[in-house]
C-alpha cells in the first residue's frame, strides 16, 4: 500500500469542487494561491531538463521531461572503475513552485522522494533539501503521510494515486463539508452551518488550523492512538500531535516551516496576545500581487501602529517602497531549505536585531498544556536520533525510564527505550521491550528490525527472517532490514530469494557497497 487513510467520503469529505458550486468567486481566487498549488501529478507540469552533480555523493543526476513522464537518471563511477546507473519515473510533485518543487517516484508499492528538486527558472535543478550531505545514492527516503498531508488532501491507498486533491483543499481548514452541503441543499431554515470558520474559533483552536502544517518545531510527537492525519479543523492540535521547540531558540537557525514559531517570538505577538494570529495579516483565499504587496501589508501593520509612525524619513521609506516588511520582516536564507529564502516572521525592530541565543538544549512543548511526560521523553528520543549523540541518547533514556511505569502499553516508548537498552548493553531488557512494542503495534519498524537482530544472535533465524520480511515490506528504502533478510535467507538455504532481496535493496540504494559485495558473492 502507499498511504493508509480512511475513505474520503466515509469521513464526510466531499472535495473542493463541491464547495465551488456555491462559493465560486472564493474558489476561483483560491486557485491562484500557493496552497492551492502545493502538490499534484507531474503530468500537469512541464519543466526544463537539467543535470545536477552531487559533490558529496559523487553522483550525477539528470532529469529529462518526456511526454509528461519525467525520468530521474543517476550515474556514479565506483572506486573499482565500474559505473552504477539507473533511472526512476517521477510521478508527483510537492511544493507550489513559489520557492521550489520536490518530486516523488513510486516503487515496490511505496512512495519515495527524489534526491534533486527544481528551484525555479533562476536557479534550476539542484540537490533537494536534506540531501546536501548525503554520501551515497539514497533513493529510499520514504514520503511520510505527514508530508503529503500538508501538500495534498485526502491521501489514500489505492493504485489510482496518492491523493484525491493535489492541493490544500477547502476542507483542510474548514473541516468535512458533507453535513454542511446537505443542510444547505435541504432548503430548511439553518440553525447551524455545520462548517468550521477558523476566525470564529477560540484562539488555540483557530491557531491549530494553521499550526497543523506551519508549526513543525524541532520535533513533533504523535499522541498515543492518534496520527499526523487525524486532526480536524476545530480540534486542538495538541490532542493529536505535540510540537516541541527549543526553550531558547538559536538565532542562527531559521527554518522553512518556522513562520508560526517566529511570530510567537515577536514582540507584536507577546504584546497583542490572542488578538494577533496568522489571519490578522493573511487571507488564505487570495494571492497578493507583487505590485500590491507593500501597500497591502503596510495597511495590516497600521491597524496597530498608526499612532507610532515610522521614524525613517519619507525619502528613506520610499527607497524601500514604503514597505514595513522590507525592514521588519526581511527574507532570510533557511537552514532546511536549499537555495531558498523565506520571510522572517519574528518581526524585528531593526534588520540587525537578533533574537536571544540559545542558552540550553531544553525542549519545551509549544502549547505546554497539551504535553505529558511521555511526550517529552519521546521528543528527547527523537532529538537524540537526529544528532546521533551518545549524551543525547543517555538523556533520552533517563526520561523514557521515568515515564515507562506510567505507560506500560505504549509501543513508541517501549521501542525507543529498548533501543537505549541496546546502547546501554542490556540486550535482555531490550528484547523484552521490543516484543512488548510489537504486541501493541505489529508495524513498529524499529522493533521489527532490531528484535530480528536479537533473534538472529540467539540462533532463531526463522523468527528473525519473518520480522525482517515485515520490516522490508513496510519500508523497502532502508538497507539494514533488507540486507539482514538476505543473510537470514542464505542461512536458511534460500540463495535465489536472498539474491532477489539484495536486488530490492540495490534498487533504492544502488551504490551500497555492502549490497554490491553480497550480490557479487551470490552470483558466483
Amino acid at each position: 500500500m502507499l498511504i493508509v487513510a480512511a475513505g474520503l467520503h466515509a469521513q464526510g469529505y466531499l472535495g473542493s469542487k463541491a464547495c465551488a458550486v456555491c462559493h465560486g468567486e472564493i474558489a476561483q481566487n483560491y486557485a491562484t494561491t500557493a496552497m492551492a498549488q502545493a502538490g499534484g501529478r507531474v503530468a500537469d507540469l512541464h519543466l526544463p531538463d537539467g543535470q545536477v552533480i552531487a559533490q558529496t555523493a559523487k553522483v550525477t543526476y539528470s532529469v529529462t521531461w518526456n511526454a509528461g513522464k519525467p525520468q530521474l537518471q543517476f550515474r556514479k563511477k565506483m572506486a573499482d572503475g565500474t559505473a552504477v546507473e539507473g533511472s526512476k519515473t517521477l510521478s508527483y510533485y510537492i511544493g507550489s513552485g513559489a520557492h521550489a518543487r520536490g518530486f516523488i517516484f513510486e516503487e515496490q508499492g511505496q512512495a519515495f522522494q527524489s534526491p534533486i528538486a527544481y528551484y525555479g527558472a533562476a536557479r534550476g535543478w539542484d540537490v533537494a533539501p536534506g540531501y546536501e550531505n548525503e554520501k551515497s545514492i539514497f533513493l529510499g527516503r520514504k514520503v511520510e503521510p505527514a508530508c503529503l498531508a500538508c501538500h495534498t488532501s485526502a491521501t489514500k491507498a489505492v493504485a489510482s494515486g496518492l491523493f484525491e486533491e493535489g492541493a490544500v483543499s477547502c476542507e483542510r481548514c474548514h473541516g468535512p463539508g458533507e453535513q454542511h452541503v446537505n443542510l444547505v441543499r435541504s432548503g430548511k431554515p439553518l440553525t447551524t452551518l455545520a462548517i468550521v470558520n477558523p476566525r470564529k474559533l477560540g484562539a488555540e483552536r483557530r491557531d491549530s488550523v494553521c499550526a497543523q502544517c506551519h508549526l513543525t518545531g524541532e520535533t513533533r510527537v504523535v499522541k498515543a492512538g492518534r496520527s499526523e492525519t487525524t486532526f480536524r479543523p476545530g480540534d486542538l492540535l495538541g490532542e493529536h500531535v505535540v510540537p516541541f521547540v527549543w526553550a531558547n531558540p538559536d538565532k542562527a537557525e531559521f527554518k522553512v516551516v518556522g513562520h508560526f514559531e517566529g511570530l510567537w517570538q515577536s514582540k507584536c505577538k507577546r504584546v497583542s496576545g490572542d488578538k494577533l494570529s496568522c489571519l490578522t495579516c493573511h487571507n488564505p483565499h487570495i494571492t497578493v500581487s507583487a505590485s500590491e504587496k507593500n501597500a497591502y501589508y503596510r495597511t495590516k501593520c497600521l491597524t496597530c501602529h498608526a499612532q507610532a509612525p515610522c521614524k525613517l524619513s519619507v525619502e528613506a521609506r520610499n527607497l524601500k517602497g514604503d514597505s514595513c516588511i522590507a525592514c521588519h520582516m526581511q527574507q532570510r536564507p533557511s537552514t532546511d531549505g536549499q537555495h531558498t529564502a523565506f520571510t522572517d516572521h519574528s518581526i524585528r525592530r531593526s534588520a540587525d536585531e537578533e533574537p536571544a541565543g540559545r542558552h540550553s538544549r531544553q525542549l519545551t512543548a509549544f502549547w505546554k498544556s497539551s504535553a505529558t511526560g511521555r511526550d517529552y521523553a519521546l521528543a528527547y528520543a527523537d532529538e537524540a536520533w537526529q544528532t546521533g549523540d551518545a549524551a543525547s541518547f543517555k538523556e533520552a533514556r533517563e526520561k523514557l525510564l521515568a515515564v515507562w511505569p506510567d505507560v506500560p502499553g505504549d509501543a513508541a516508548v517501549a521501542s525507543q527505550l529498548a533501543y537505549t537498552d541496546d546502547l546501554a548493553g542490556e540486550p535482555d531488557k531490550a528484547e523484552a521491550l521490543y516484543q512488548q512494542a510489537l504486541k501493541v503495534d505489529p508495524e513498529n519498524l524499529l522493533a521489527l528490525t532490531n528484535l530480528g537482530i536479537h533473534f538472529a544472535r540467539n540462533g532463531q533465524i526463522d523468527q528473525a527472517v519473518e520480522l525482517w520480511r515485515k520490516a522490508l515490506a513496510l519500508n523497502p528504502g532502508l538497507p539494514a532490514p533488507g540486507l539482514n533478510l538476505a543473510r537470514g535467507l542464505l542461512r536458511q538455504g534460500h540463495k535465489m530469494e536472498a539474491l532477489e532481496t539484495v536486488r530490492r535493496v540495490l534498487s533504492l540504494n544502488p551504490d551500497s557497497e555492502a549490497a554490491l559485495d553480497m550480490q557479487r558473492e551470490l552470483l558466483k
Side-chain angles (χ1 to χ4, degrees):
M1 292 199 306
L2 298 175
I3 299 297
V4 178
L8 180 69
H9 296 290
Q11 301 175 31
Y13 287 85
L14 298 178
S16 297
K17 289 182 179 179
C19 306
V21 173
C22 294
H23 304 282
E25 184 177 354
I26 292 175
Q28 187 175 2
N29 289 334
Y30 180 68
T32 67
T33 67
M35 288 199 299
Q37 301 170 28
R41 293 168 175 79
V42 294
D44 300 329
L45 298 178
H46 185 79
L47 297 178
D49 296 350
Q51 186 179 91
V52 176
I53 299 176
Q55 300 291 347
T56 306
K58 298 178 181 179
V59 57
T60 300
Y61 294 106
S62 60
V63 172
T64 55
W65 213 269
N66 295 322
K69 292 184 178 181
Q71 297 295 308
L72 168 68
Q73 297 154 340
F74 54 89
R75 191 176 195 279
K76 178 177 181 176
K77 189 173 183 180
M78 304 296 285
D80 63 2
T82 61
V84 169
E85 56 189 344
S87 65
K88 306 293 180 186
T89 299
L90 302 178
S91 302
Y92 305 95
Y93 67 87
I94 291 291
S96 68
H99 297 283
R101 274 197 169 112
F103 294 86
I104 296 171
F105 65 92
E106 296 172 276
E107 185 155 323
Q108 300 182 47
Q110 305 284 353
F112 297 95
Q113 296 180 45
S114 162
I116 63 173
Y118 187 69
Y119 294 91
R123 299 186 180 99
W125 293 90
D126 210 326
V127 178
Y131 287 87
E132 302 89 345
N133 300 315
E134 189 60 59
K135 296 179 181 179
S136 62
I137 307 174
F138 183 45
L139 305 174
R141 182 176 292 175
K142 187 177 174 181
V143 178
E144 296 297 332
C147 298
L148 283 177
C150 283
H151 288 275
T152 65
S153 297
T155 56
K156 55 183 183 175
V158 297
S160 61
L162 290 178
F163 44 78
E164 291 280 354
E165 285 192 60
V168 179
S169 71
C170 306
E171 290 165 305
R172 292 303 309 282
C173 299
H174 296 286
E178 185 176 41
Q179 187 180 1
H180 170 72
V181 169
N182 288 341
L183 282 171
V184 172
R185 285 176 176 171
S186 72
K188 297 177 182 178
L190 298 179
T191 57
T192 175
L193 289 176
I195 199 74
V196 173
N197 182 341
R199 292 184 185 275
K200 295 182 179 181
L201 295 172
E204 189 174 337
R205 295 180 190 276
R206 172 200 66 199
D207 298 335
S208 290
V209 174
C210 300
Q212 61 174 311
C213 291
H214 293 280
L215 175 59
T216 295
E218 199 63 29
T219 184
R220 285 162 67 120
V221 173
V222 177
K223 286 288 193 179
R226 301 297 180 96
S227 76
E228 290 273 7
T229 59
T230 55
F231 172 84
R232 297 290 179 267
D235 292 349
L236 294 172
L237 182 62
E239 296 171 344
H240 302 268
V241 293
V242 183
F244 282 85
V245 298
W246 291 115
N248 295 290
D250 191 329
K251 65 183 180 181
E253 290 187 354
F254 176 70
K255 297 186 175 183
V256 173
V257 287
H259 296 163
F260 202 94
E261 186 180 347
L263 178 63
W264 257 247
Q265 293 169 1
S266 71
K267 184 177 180 181
C268 287
K269 177 61 179 174
R270 295 197 305 271
V271 172
S272 300
D274 291 341
K275 292 187 297 182
L276 180 63
S277 75
C278 305
L279 299 175
T280 303
C281 300
H282 294 287
N283 178 350
H285 293 148
I286 66 170
T287 297
V288 180
S289 68
S291 62
E292 299 172 320
K293 188 174 182 179
N294 290 345
Y296 180 88
Y297 288 111
R298 183 172 63 250
T299 300
K300 301 294 184 181
C301 296
L302 290 176
T303 59
C304 292
H305 296 283
Q307 302 304 315
C310 181
K311 293 182 174 61
L312 291 180
S313 67
V314 173
E315 291 77 11
R317 286 163 52 188
N318 286 337
L319 287 174
K320 295 187 176 183
D322 200 13
S323 170
C324 302
I325 58 177
C327 288
H328 302 292
M329 299 181 71
Q330 292 191 334
Q331 295 276 304
R332 296 179 61 199
S334 65
T335 59
D336 60 343
Q338 177 91 325
H339 303 300
T340 47
F342 294 83
T343 304
D344 182 355
H345 280 62
S346 61
I347 316 178
R348 306 176 187 207
R349 185 177 182 87
S350 68
D352 298 327
E353 181 186 11
E354 293 282 0
R358 182 182 298 158
H359 303 297
S360 69
R361 296 286 293 180
Q362 182 180 357
L363 287 169
T364 184
F366 189 84
W367 280 300
K368 295 179 177 59
S369 62
S370 64
T372 64
R374 175 254 190 202
D375 302 329
Y376 274 92
L378 289 174
Y380 275 92
D382 184 70
E383 174 60 18
W385 279 97
Q386 291 184 44
T387 64
D389 178 60
S392 296
F393 274 111
K394 183 179 179 181
E395 183 178 15
R397 175 177 167 76
E398 292 171 355
K399 295 183 184 298
L400 290 163
L401 282 168
V403 302
W404 176 242
D406 299 324
V407 289
D410 193 299
V413 175
S415 60
Q416 294 296 335
L417 182 54
Y419 184 77
T420 65
D421 279 337
D422 270 335
L423 294 179
E426 298 191 41
D428 292 342
K429 289 183 179 179
E431 184 175 330
L433 284 168
Y434 285 135
Q435 289 178 331
Q436 286 190 51
L438 289 175
K439 286 179 181 177
V440 179
D441 178 11
E443 296 187 349
N444 187 300
L445 191 58
L446 178 61
L448 287 168
T449 302
N450 289 358
L451 183 58
I453 294 172
H454 280 270
F455 282 159
R457 287 173 178 167
N458 296 336
Q460 298 169 279
I461 297 302
D462 292 348
Q463 293 92 325
V465 164
E466 181 182 354
L467 294 177
W468 289 329
R469 282 189 199 279
K470 293 178 181 178
L472 187 61
L474 286 169
N475 191 343
L478 296 179
L483 293 176
N484 287 340
L485 175 59
R487 295 185 186 102
L489 289 167
L490 197 57
R491 289 176 66 177
Q492 289 179 325
H494 303 308
K495 183 177 179 180
M496 293 309 297
E497 189 179 354
L499 178 59
E500 179 59 30
T501 301
V502 171
R503 286 172 172 164
R504 287 179 65 189
V505 173
L506 286 169
S507 177
L508 294 166
N509 302 272
D511 61 344
S512 166
E513 292 285 3
L516 289 168
D517 288 344
M518 189 178 293
Q519 179 176 247
R520 281 190 285 267
E521 287 297 316
L522 289 168
L523 288 172
K524 286 182 179 178

